[in-house]
Amino acid sequence: MVRLERYGRDITGVLLIALGLLTLMVLVGWTSGSFISPYGDWLRRWLGIASFPLAILTALIGVSLLRSNPAENRRFPLGRILALEGLIFTGMAFLALLGGVSVERAEAGLDGGVIGWGLAYLITQFLPLPWSSLVLVLLGIWFLSSATGFHRWVGRRIQAWIESLPVEQLPEPPLRPTDRSQSNPDIPREEGVPVPVVAYRREENLPPLSLLANEESNGLDEERILAIARQIEKTLAEFGVPSRVVGYRKGPTVTQFAVEPGYVEKPAADGKMIRQKVRVAQISALSRDLALALAAERLRIEAPVPGHSYVGVEVPNSSTTLVRLRPILESPEFLKLQSPLAIALGRDVSGQPVVADLARMPHLLVAGTTGSGKSVCLASIITCLVMNNSPATLRLVVLDPKMVELARFSGLPHLLGKVETEIERMLAVLRWTLVEMEQRYRLFEASAARDLTAYNRKAERRGMMPLPRIVVLIDELADLMMSAPDQTEHSLVRLAQMARATGIHLVIATQRPSTDVVTGLIKANFPARVAFSVASSIDSRVILDVNGAESLLGRGDMLFLNPEAGTPLRAQGVLLQDQEIERVIAFWQERLTDQVEQTAPWEDLVNQDDDGDDLIEKAIELVRRTQRASASLLQRRLRIGFPRAARLLDELEERGIVGPAQGGGKDREVLIDPLDDDPAEDDD
């Protein structure tokens, strides 16, 4: 697709350059033709002198198309295009005024042509000279400033000058943006001190950031924010809770209003009136009344905001902002991490980037209902990782029981094997990951290295190949837990406990945050968690141990629990388009064209599962010894998944070892005698 778009732009650019140059030569009188001469005469008659810059502009557009990169996806603002058109028409009218508003000169292709004469004639009917000329000059200056962005440059210089003044000289507004130092707990800030930009240059072998789309800004205006603040104060006062909105933080999806509790007077025992501070619980209890007064879909109250002396009332914005990946990758917060496993999650309620280091987490649990944004979050994490790592330093293992969400990453050189979609193969992948972890620990022991970084440093000095980091991503944990709960939980818990030092990290997602899926052992070993919108507060407590996720808006609205922060941070997740992912995959495929496709390293384990002769003998021995036959028994004793255990029971039934299924969860009847030398064991 990129090559076809490249050819289309090249052909269009050549045609525009040819048209512009031929038109300019006809207007000067250097050439003529049966097609180009009438076209040049027509332009000269209607546009006058403006036909010359139009021909030059046509050729310049063609040159721009030839030099542009289709992967950059440039967009020209509509306002600047309209301002440029207004500048052209204003110049034509001004030229017609200088020529005396003569229709004869306009018909001869002089001044501003017929169009310029018409505009000048219309203006002189309302404004006589010289006022009409003055109006056209002012309009031309305004259009020129809008088309070039000069007024924005002047505005930034004035704002920078104002900000450089001492704070005492600036009047304090009644409602202002609150301090954003708590927007990212990983990056401490001081009031008025900007975050230093870390000097960072991307390696040439990494994908350029131009493959990703830029962010589109949008949001509430100042008047709407003031109206909501007044409504919050009025509603709380009506319920006997005096308070004051002292600031706000405007984010992509919600705006957090800083509500400072007031004081109420109550009679004391001696009859005197005493002042008491309004309790935080009184404001939290009025969340539904505030949502009704503000006509908000959902409203969340953060009581109190960590590190501040106010309560945060988060109100959904009437118009949301799309959060793109590229601006976050370019932000100082992301560059300051300087980690190969740095990931961009989104923007918080103050619009600041929310970034994290997967190596420090060291594993991540993502949960939420269907359609809340889990798969989009996993796709953004994968894209962020492959944008900053080559296949030599990072390998991905992707398990997608849904079969559609992450399958679009097939063909990415970073993948080990392919995107696995079958339950039995996924269980084999988890067993291979355990084997790989144990093998790396043996290598570390032989090299006297404590972790992957130390081992790779020693390996490079000895001329050996360094080991890549491995990130295992599971899009739906519930399918694995329902098919083989014991084996899945054992593998995940062991990896979560021990795999950090070996450079193996887990990112798992589930749409069913119940205790039988997110068990206590799994939850204890995944301190970093992301909660999207859930159905109830019970699900929110299962994920985060606190309420709040049930009040999220969905479509990427999340609560991120960083183990280093301790309190959930609300953010709007990154949105990636399919075209961006395709461009990143195409970049790596074109860069690594000589890479030979290798088989998955866990194929041997899958083949061992397919070879059932040894397994069926173990099942027969187990059934004879215990005189019990059930799928759960085979799962626990043989450490296999439910589908494999069910197939073993069917094979045992065909051989006449066990009877047919009895229903109601009862064990099958064992048709063979127990072993004489080994009495039956009680499984319990």
Side-chain angles (χ1 to χ4, degrees), residues 599-639:
T599 59
W602 49 80
E603 286 295 339
D604 295 338
L605 295 176
V606 175
N607 296 332
Q608 290 178 6
D609 291 344
D610 294 338
D611 187 10
D613 293 338
D614 184 50
L615 199 58
I616 192 67
E617 295 298 331
K618 292 181 180 179
I620 294 174
E621 181 183 357
L622 176 63
V623 169
R624 290 190 65 183
R625 186 171 65 251
T626 61
Q627 286 295 297
R628 294 178 56 187
S630 65
S632 60
L633 174 66
L634 297 179
Q635 282 183 264
R636 290 194 301 272
R637 292 299 184 87
L638 302 180
R639 291 194 175 275

Side-chain angles (χ1 to χ4, degrees), residues 89-143:
F89 286 117
T90 303
M92 294 166 55
F94 186 76
L95 290 175
L97 284 179
L98 294 180
V101 196
S102 172
V103 67
E104 291 79 13
R105 292 176 60 86
E107 289 288 345
L110 301 175
D111 304 330
V114 175
I115 296 178
W117 170 84
L119 293 174
Y121 179 81
L122 183 62
I123 292 175
T124 54
Q125 297 299 312
F126 296 93
L127 293 174
L129 290 173
W131 298 107
S132 57
S133 301
L134 180 61
V135 169
L136 288 177
V137 171
L138 294 178
L139 282 176
I141 295 175
W142 183 72
F143 283 133

Side-chain angles (χ1 to χ4, degrees), residues 41 45 130 135 162 183 329 332 359 391 458 492 683:
D41 295 337
R45 178 175 182 271
V135 169
I162 293 177
S183 60
L329 295 182
K458 293 183 178 181
L492 291 179
D683 185 55

Side-chain angles (χ1 to χ4, degrees), residues 397-403 418-433 472-477 479-481 483-484 487-488 491-492 495 602 605-606 609:
V397 178
V398 181
L399 310 181
D400 184 15
K402 295 182 181 179
M403 302 184 183
K418 63 178 183 178
V419 178
E420 299 293 349
T421 58
E422 300 178 5
I423 298 296
E424 292 296 330
R425 294 184 62 87
M426 289 188 235
L427 297 176
V429 170
L430 293 179
R431 291 198 300 272
W432 170 85
T433 309
V472 182
L473 299 105
I474 305 175
D475 189 21
E476 185 48 65
L477 178 64
D479 289 349
L480 283 172
M481 291 297 292
S483 300
Q487 183 178 354
T488 302
S491 301
L492 291 179
L495 287 171
W602 49 80
L605 295 176
V606 175
D609 291 344

